[in-house]
């Protein structure tokens, strides 16, 4: 496979990116950076090039290669024991979470690690959970070497502070599957034993074996009653204790009466009982439960700040750098933070130019400049050169940690969601009891025996099995439809919450706006191409985020610059072709403060040879599809809560219309209170946010959606995670949730129809075991099929 | 006709064996990951000779 295609831009043989900035050639193959080439050579050397044959360009870009020294903390015995699952005197076992896994090549390579490091004895991938389980001989290799190897290949395991807090015991719950298996086994066998009853010709068989079949059925039904159906009974009991009738109450009532009547009939020899219906019902309802329970294992919906913090930090001791676990940071330690690294603890700046991006913590869109001596709070991200800081507070005492542990943030949600199913269940009980009392009232004076039979069969037939199947299946399918569209819900009850939403609150930075882009407009005297080129040449030398943003927008080849100087917090200067170019703030250019147009807008002035020509203004770039969403949400109240200042107010107003509520400069706690205020007006609030600063609001709102650029990456605790690429579908998701509620209603009507048939038979005393054996599975199955097909149909119509 | 007692006893015990096997399989984690094994079984054990014509088919790293 020759990657060297005859095109202008070649794609990297390893990762598939186009080789724009640089082109590295090796073995007639093109690579976009040295990192990719290194990985290729490593694989080539070890004969692992199958990696490239399984998929096209499977690699992960090696552009952002950091130094291997950052894994030094893994040599710390304390950290090691916290990460390992098992250790004896020869081997260690542990499981890593590797978010970069994405294709079969990844699986192949990660399972062939032993060829690259002989100390690794075995590595097994679980692709759905994006986990790799490793076993290695600790005499031959170390944890650090294993992690370094993974990182070098581009599969750096995500090790966060939360992992070192203690071993996560993630045992998948198999209980529901055990219950299903047992219920299925018993259902099948009881049905076989009940077969003679279905056919009138087997009268003789029934006489000679009836009691044997009956007792065997009882034996088979007992585990179903005690084990498989236990969930329904406990849930109903919980409801009663809270003086609250939920959907499980009529189910439990129906199941108990079915079981007891069957026992009575079989023991007294008066009839064959209904045990086939009983076991069948439990089996079908468990399928519904299982369907509802299937969740996204790989996503974590409840994160706290520890999931964002790095595990290690570079500490400077006597001029030497060493990686230390964040847990062991002491007040007074000097730390080094490099480009794009998080500040792990509140610290004072000692050296370097700090540009702190707080967007994740406070929602400010622009990086904040800090000068030596200022305290920088934990959670900020350094942009630009590496800086040195002195820790002033331990991690557990920091501002962010305290914010997180604020009572408002850890409020337990009082869940009294009045779900459709529970409301329906309550009515169901009332109607059933009325009908049952009516049959008693009618039959008792006429025929005592008949009265008992009719009364119990009313209770049995009115088992709201179909009712209880509708919700889990419709919701389960809805979750799948959403998942396909990169919208992941925490559980099925979120669907109902979304259907009720009447107020949508957005965070601004990172939610409505694209963090990675900014629009720039130039105001002032028009610049010639040559002048622009000179300005660009100077800007190219600076690592300041604003300089980089302007230079991204000016496409040209830079010229050589002499006497380049950067004044922290002010601006830059340099000489190009003998002309002095100065770029920076108004104050730096000597423009009096009253002449500047707007203090809130971020502006950068340019001057050539001392003459100020004009300034660049930065604007937020709003996400694609935002306008469309807002039009579709016009029936709902819209609000924006932003931690940023209000320089974008006019543009937002234009986008959102006059009705919308815009609030700026909100602290995380104020955001939470704003949501509360809306809820006190009995509004159902949906909050869409992305940062830690929205965490409280997301928790407080009826439904909180965390928007994220990579689903497996950062997201504050929330009810749903939405991939940023699917942001344009938000209004469709809400409309779809509403539609699914209508489907549930329709399904209720279908099941009601069965119940009417069954009850008519029951009150007349015509309800026989055969009728129940036919009616019950048919009603269950048809409800499942109806729910499945209608959700599929509606999803197609909605284009999801 | 009494053979029926015996037959049913046999059939139920065989079914119970299958149930036991199913529960054991779930318990030992065989249903935890239903994707990766399907991919894994398609991998060749031998490394494919790559396009540069190094006709090496053994998985030994070259010294």
């Amino acid at each position: 496979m020759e990657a060297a295609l005859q095109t202008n831009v070649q794609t990297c043989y390893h990762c598939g990116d186009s080789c724009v900035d640089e082109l590295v050639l090796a073995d007639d193959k093109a690579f976009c950076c040295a990192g990719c080439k290194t990985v290729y050579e490593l694989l080539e050397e070890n004969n692992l090039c199958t990696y490239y044959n399984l998929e096209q360009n499977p690699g992960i870009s090696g552009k952002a290669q950091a130094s291997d020294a950052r894994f030094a903390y893994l040599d710390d015995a304390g950290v090691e024991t916290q990460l390992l699952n098992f250790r004896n005197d020869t081997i260690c076992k542990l499981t890593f979470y590797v978010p970069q896994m994405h294709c079969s090549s990844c699986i192949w390579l990660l399972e062939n690690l032993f060829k690259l490091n002989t100390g690794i004895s075995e590595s097994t991938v679980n692709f759905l959970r994006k986990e790799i389980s490793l076993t290695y001989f600790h005499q031959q290799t170390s944890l650090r070497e294993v992690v370094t190897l993974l990182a070098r290949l581009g599969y750096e395991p995500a090790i966060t502070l939360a992992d070192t807090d203690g071993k996560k015991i993630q045992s998948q719950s198999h209980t529901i599957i055990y219950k299903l298996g047992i219920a299925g086994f018993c259902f099948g066998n009881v049905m076989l034993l009940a077969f003679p009853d279905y056919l009138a010709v087997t009268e003789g068989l029934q006489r000679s074996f009836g009691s044997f079949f009956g007792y065997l059925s009882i034996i088979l039904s007992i585990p179903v009653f005690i084990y498989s159906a236990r969930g329904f009974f406990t849930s109903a009991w919980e409801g009663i204790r809270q003086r609250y009738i939920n959907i499980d109450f009529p189910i439990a009532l129906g199941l108990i009466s079915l079981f007891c009547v069957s026992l009575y009939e079989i023991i007294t020899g008066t009839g064959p009982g209904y045990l086939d219906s009983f076991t069948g019902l439990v089996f079908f309802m468990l399928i519904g439960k299982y369907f509802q329970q299937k969740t996204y294992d790989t996503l974590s919906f409840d994160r706290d700040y520890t999931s964002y913090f790095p595990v290690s930090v570079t500490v400077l001791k006597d001029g030497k750098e060493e990686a230390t676990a964040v847990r062991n940071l002491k007040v007074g330690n000097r730390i080094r933070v490099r480009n794009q690294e998080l500040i792990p603890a509140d610290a004072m700046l000692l050296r370097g130019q700090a540009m702190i991006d707080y967007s994740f913590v406070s929602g400010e869109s622009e990086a904040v400049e800090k000068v030596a001596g200022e305290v920088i709070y934990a959670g900020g991200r350094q942009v630009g050169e590496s800086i040195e800081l002195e820790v002033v507070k331990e991690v557990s005492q920091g501002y962010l940690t305290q914010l997180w542990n604020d009572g408002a943030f850890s409020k337990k949600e009082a869940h009294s969601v009045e779900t459709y199913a529970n409301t329906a269940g309550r009515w169901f009980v009332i109607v059933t009891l009325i009908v049952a009392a009516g049959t008693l009232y009618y039959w008792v004076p006429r025929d005592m025996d008949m009265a008992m039979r009719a009364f119990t069969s009313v209770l049995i037939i009115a088992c709201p099995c179909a009712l209880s199947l509708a919700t889990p299946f419709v919701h389960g399918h809805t979750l799948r439809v959403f998942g396909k569209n990169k919208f992941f819900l925490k559980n099925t009850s979120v669907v109902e919450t979304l259907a009720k939403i009447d107020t949508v609150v957005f965070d601004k930075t990172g939610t409505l706006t694209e963090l990675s882009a900014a629009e720039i407009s130039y105001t002032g005297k028009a610049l010639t191409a040559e002048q622009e080129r000179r300005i660009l040449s100077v800007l190219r030398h600076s690592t300041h985020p604003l300089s980089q943003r302007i230079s991204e927008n000016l496409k040209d080849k830079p010229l050589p610059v002499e006497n380049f100087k950067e004044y922290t917090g002010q601006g830059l200067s340099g000489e190009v072709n003998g002309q002095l170019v100065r770029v920076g703030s108004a104050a730096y250019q000597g423009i009096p403060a009253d002449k500047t147009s707007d203090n809130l807008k971020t502006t950068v002035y340019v001057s050539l040879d001392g003459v100020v020509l004009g300034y660049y203004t930065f604007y937020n770039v709003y996400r694609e599809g935002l306008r469309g969403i807002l039009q579709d949400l016009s029936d709902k109240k819209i609000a924006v809560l932003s931690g940023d200042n209000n320089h974008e107010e006019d543009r937002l107003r234009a986008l959102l219309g006059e009705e919308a509520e815009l609030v700026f400069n909100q602290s995380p706690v104020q955001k939470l209170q704003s949501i509360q205020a809306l809820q006190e007006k009995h509004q159902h609030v949906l909050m869409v946010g992305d940062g830690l600063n929205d965490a409280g609001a997301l928790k407080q709102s009826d439904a909180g959606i965390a928007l994220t650029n990579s689903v497996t990456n950062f997201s504050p605790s929330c009810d749903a995670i939405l991939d940023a690429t699917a942001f344009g579908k938000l209004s469709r998701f809400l409309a779809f949730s509403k539609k699914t509620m209508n489907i549930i209603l329709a399904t209720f009507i279908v099941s009601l129809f069965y119940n009417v048939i069954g009850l008519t038979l029951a009150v007349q005393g015509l309800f026989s075991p055969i009728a129940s054996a036919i009616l019950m599975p048919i009603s269950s199955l048809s409800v499942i099929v109806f729910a499945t097909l209608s959700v599929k149909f509606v999803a197609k119509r909605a284009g999801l | 006709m009494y053979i029926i007692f015996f037959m049913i006893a046999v059939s139920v015990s065989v079914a119970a064996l299958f149930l036991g096997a199913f529960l054991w399989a779930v318990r030992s984690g065989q249903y935890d990951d239903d994707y990766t094994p399907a991919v894994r079984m398609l991998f060749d054990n031998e490394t494919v000779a790559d396009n540069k014509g190094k006709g090496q088919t053994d998985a030994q790293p070259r010294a």
Side-chain angles (χ1 to χ4, degrees):
Chain A
M1 200 192 82
E2 288 294 306
L5 299 167
Q6 295 306 311
T7 49
N8 295 340
V9 179
Q10 294 189 312
T11 53
C12 176
Y13 181 70
H14 178 71
C15 70
D17 286 358
S18 48
C19 311
V20 185
D21 299 335
E22 53 178 328
L23 177 66
V24 188
L25 288 168
D27 282 353
D28 320 326
K29 296 178 179 75
F31 295 96
C32 64
C33 59
C36 287
K37 177 174 152 272
T38 321
V39 179
Y40 166 77
E41 280 169 345
L42 180 71
L43 297 181
E44 156 68 51
E45 203 172 299
N46 289 290
N47 228 335
L48 290 169
C49 280
T50 307
Y51 184 62
Y52 298 104
N53 302 342
L54 292 164
E55 304 259 349
Q56 284 271 331
N57 317 104
I60 287 125
S61 174
K63 282 196 180 95
Q65 286 279 17
S67 74
D68 289 343
R70 66 206 151 107
F71 296 124
Y73 70 94
L74 291 169
D75 288 334
D76 183 292
V79 174
E80 192 185 54
T81 42
Q82 276 167 330
L83 291 171
L84 292 179
N85 304 338
F86 173 80
R87 181 189 171 113
N88 66 10
D89 38 28
T90 51
I91 59 164
C92 287
K93 282 177 187 280
L94 80 166
T95 301
F96 281 130
Y97 174 55
V98 182
Q100 292 91 335
M101 244 185 251
H102 63 279
C103 65
S104 56
S105 280
C106 305
I107 299 174
W108 184 84
L109 182 61
L110 290 171
E111 297 203 335
N112 277 295
L113 286 179
F114 65 91
K115 291 181 182 168
L116 293 165
N117 179 343
T118 46
I120 296 172
S121 75
E122 155 181 55
S123 50
T124 318
V125 170
N126 180 334
F127 188 77
L128 294 180
R129 298 173 70 93
K130 296 206 192 293
E131 277 175 356
I132 175 168
S133 310
L134 288 152
T135 311
Y136 65 90
F137 302 112
H138 53 78
Q139 277 109 344
Q140 292 179 39
T141 184
S142 69
L143 179 63
R144 182 180 170 182
E145 279 173 24
V146 172
V147 175
T148 310
L149 171 66
L150 280 168
R152 211 172 282 161
L153 294 170
Y155 299 99
E156 186 177 327
I159 307 173
T160 61
L161 208 55
D163 300 339
T164 57
D165 271 345
K167 277 201 277 290
K168 289 174 301 188
I169 299 167
Q170 278 196 330
S171 60
Q172 273 183 297
S173 173
H174 293 312
T175 328
I176 184 92
I177 305 181
Y178 295 152
K179 284 180 177 174
L180 247 177
I182 287 169
F185 164 80
C186 298
F187 168 51
N189 282 297
V190 171
M191 206 153 169
L192 276 179
L193 295 172
F195 224 81
D197 296 324
Y198 301 159
L199 310 166
V201 290
T202 52
E203 203 62 42
L205 193 74
Q206 178 60 30
R207 249 200 314 283
S208 44
F209 297 104
S211 62
F212 167 63
F213 283 0
Y215 284 112
L216 194 56
S217 303
I218 292 177
I219 292 170
L220 284 168
S221 307
I222 286 170
V224 177
F225 186 79
I226 292 175
Y227 181 63
S228 296
R230 192 167 45 184
F232 301 106
F233 301 138
T234 47
S235 159
W237 179 240
E238 284 295 311
I240 293 168
R241 274 185 38 198
Q242 292 170 10
R243 311 232 169 133
Y244 179 76
I245 289 182
N246 55 14
I247 182 74
D248 286 325
F249 179 76
I251 293 175
L253 201 69
L255 289 179
I256 290 174
S257 50
L258 255 178
F259 190 72
C260 295
V261 170
S262 307
L263 277 189
Y264 171 81
E265 281 195 2
I266 291 168
I267 290 169
T268 56
T270 46
Y274 304 91
L275 288 174
D276 52 332
S277 297
F278 167 75
T279 47
L281 274 182
V282 174
F283 179 62
F284 286 126
M285 287 192 295
L286 282 173
I287 291 179
K289 268 222 157 91
Y290 173 71
F291 205 73
Q292 204 170 5
Q293 262 202 356
K294 272 196 95 66
T295 47
Y296 302 100
D297 285 333
T298 51
L299 301 179
S300 152
F301 291 92
D302 303 302
R303 294 174 185 235
D304 62 1
Y305 69 96
T306 54
S307 316
Y308 305 98
F309 277 25
V311 185
S312 78
V313 61
T314 313
V315 172
L316 300 166
K317 272 210 183 111
D318 320 319
K320 279 208 300 283
E321 291 191 5
E322 53 179 70
T324 309
V326 167
R327 289 248 163 269
N328 308 338
L329 268 187
K330 295 275 177 296
V331 173
N333 280 6
R334 292 183 65 142
I335 54 173
R336 167 160 294 163
V337 174
R338 297 184 181 79
N339 185 17
Q340 295 297 334
E341 281 184 358
L342 275 183
I343 316 266
D346 297 0
M348 193 171 72
L349 183 64
L350 298 174
R351 251 223 312 262
Q353 189 192 357
M355 288 293 301
I356 309 295
D357 173 9
Y358 273 126
S359 62
F360 197 68
V361 179
S362 67
E364 279 174 62
S365 51
E366 294 300 337
V368 187
E369 209 149 342
K370 297 275 182 188
V371 294
E374 275 190 274
V375 169
I376 300 175
Y377 292 120
R381 193 179 287 280
Q382 160 66 359
V383 188
E385 59 178 32
S386 73
I387 50 175
E388 281 178 33
L389 308 125
E390 183 174 312
V391 178
V392 294
K393 270 187 186 160
E394 283 180 22
V395 177
S396 55
Q397 314 271 308
Y399 162 76
L400 189 66
T401 320
Q402 281 174 347
L403 181 77
W404 201 273
N405 297 337
D406 188 304
F409 278 59
S410 54
K411 199 170 65 68
K412 273 273 169 283
E413 283 183 59
H415 242 322
S416 59
V417 182
E418 188 59 10
T419 58
Y420 258 39
N422 289 345
T423 319
R426 188 163 323 129
W427 279 106
F428 208 95
V429 175
I430 293 166
V431 173
T432 311
L433 291 179
I434 289 172
V435 174
T439 41
L440 270 187
Y441 177 77
Y442 177 84
W443 283 110
V444 166
R446 292 171 180 74
D447 178 354
M448 197 59 212
D449 217 25
M450 196 65 180
M452 275 332 287
R453 238 181 78 184
F455 176 71
T456 48
S457 49
V458 165
L459 282 188
I460 290 167
I461 191 66
C463 174
C465 57
L467 204 64
S468 66
L469 285 171
T471 322
F473 274 90
V474 171
H475 282 347
H477 282 298
T478 309
L479 237 58
R480 271 172 193 63
V481 170
F482 282 167
K484 264 197 302 223
N485 289 283
K486 298 195 172 167
F487 181 41
F488 306 94
L489 305 190
K490 187 174 177 176
N491 54 37
T492 45
S493 65
V494 181
V495 180
E496 281 192 44
T497 320
L498 285 177
K500 287 188 195 145
I501 293 297
D502 54 18
T503 310
V504 184
V505 179
F506 291 101
D507 159 57
K508 181 176 80 77
T509 313
T511 304
L512 294 180
T513 66
E514 294 264 14
L515 274 184
S516 53
E519 254 176 86
I520 295 171
S521 73
Y522 174 77
T523 326
K525 214 185 277 170
L527 297 171
T528 63
E530 181 57 27
Q531 285 173 325
E532 266 196 5
R533 194 169 166 189
R534 288 176 184 182
I535 292 165
L536 168 80
S537 313
V538 173
L539 288 171
R540 271 291 163 93
H541 284 266
S542 158
T543 53
H544 195 290
L546 294 181
S547 323
Q548 288 183 334
R549 273 190 196 164
I550 302 176
S551 53
E552 273 166 23
N553 276 271
L554 304 172
K555 293 264 181 286
D556 216 336
K557 283 247 184 306
L559 300 158
V561 178
E562 287 161 4
N563 297 334
F564 175 80
K565 285 199 188 67
E566 190 157 359
Y567 304 97
T568 306
Q570 299 185 53
L572 333 158
S573 75
E575 285 176 27
V576 187
N577 293 349
Q579 189 174 37
L580 176 70
V581 181
R582 295 174 82 223
V583 186
S585 65
Y588 171 71
Q589 301 283 19
I591 299 163
D594 53 357
K595 282 266 178 71
T596 52
S597 53
D598 187 346
N599 282 330
L600 291 170
K601 284 200 177 83
T602 314
T603 49
V604 172
Y605 286 79
V606 290
S607 68
L608 296 175
D609 284 333
V611 183
V612 178
L613 295 173
Y615 56 89
Y616 290 100
T617 318
F618 291 82
Y619 294 105
N620 293 146
V621 176
Y622 290 100
R623 279 189 195 278
E624 261 176 89
L626 180 60
R627 220 169 256 284
I629 291 184
L630 295 170
Q631 273 164 3
D632 292 342
L633 293 178
S634 52
D635 57 332
K636 298 181 172 60
K637 187 176 153 62
I638 297 202
V640 172
L641 298 176
S642 174
D644 205 355
N645 64 37
N646 62 355
H647 67 273
E648 288 274 332
E649 186 163 7
D650 301 341
R651 292 178 75 213
L652 273 174
R653 212 17 102 213
L655 263 176
L656 303 173
E658 291 303 312
E659 302 291 298
E661 196 179 325
L662 306 179
V663 197
F664 295 95
N665 300 318
Q666 293 267 298
S667 72
V669 177
Q670 281 173 313
K671 282 193 176 191
L672 191 152
Q673 286 160 344
S674 306
I675 301 267
Q676 267 174 328
L678 285 169
Q679 284 174 324
E680 274 158 18
K681 294 183 206 158
H682 298 292
Q683 283 170 318
H684 298 282
V685 186
L686 167 71
M687 169 85 198
V688 188
D690 70 319
L692 274 180
N693 59 323
D694 306 315
L698 287 171
K699 225 181 183 130
Q700 176 61 40
S701 58
D702 298 58
I705 300 180
L707 198 70
T708 164
N709 286 316
S710 72
V711 168
T712 49
N713 215 346
F714 288 149
S715 57
S717 92
C718 56
D719 299 311
I721 296 176
L722 174 62
D723 190 286
T725 52
F727 181 69
K729 294 181 183 165
L730 183 66
S731 49
R732 267 194 269 170
F733 290 140
L734 291 181
F736 187 68
S737 322
K738 265 215 168 79
K739 284 212 182 77
T740 55
M741 297 320 285
N742 295 341
I743 296 176
I744 290 182
L745 255 182
T747 325
F748 281 179
I749 291 164
V750 171
S751 76
L752 207 64
F753 165 77
Y754 285 116
N755 274 311
V756 169
I757 297 178
L759 282 175
T760 2
L761 289 175
V763 291
Q764 296 170 39
L766 298 173
F767 190 70
S768 62
I770 296 149
S772 100
I774 294 167
L775 200 66
M776 294 227 174
I778 283 186
S779 63
S780 305
L781 283 172
S782 64
V783 162
I784 292 172
V785 170
F786 177 81
T788 309
L789 291 181
S790 33
V791 172
K792 278 211 162 80
F793 175 72
V794 172
K796 230 191 198 99
R797 286 260 313 267
L800 289 172
Chain B
M1 278 308 270
Y2 284 99
I3 190 73
I4 284 194
F5 287 117
F6 179 67
M7 296 298 289
I8 284 181
V10 168
S11 82
V12 170
S13 2
V14 170
L17 278 181
F18 279 109
L19 175 70
F22 170 74
L23 295 182
W24 168 79
V26 173
R27 195 189 199 98
S28 63
Q30 294 184 32
Y31 286 84
D32 291 358
D33 183 2
D34 52 9
Y35 178 83
T36 323
V39 176
R40 193 178 292 141
M41 71 165 296
L42 298 173
F43 297 148
D44 297 324
N45 278 338
E46 289 178 312
T47 44
V48 183
D50 62 30
N51 57 343
K52 293 187 66 190
K54 293 191 197 66
Q56 286 202 327
T57 46
D58 58 343
Q60 293 303 314
R62 285 168 295 131

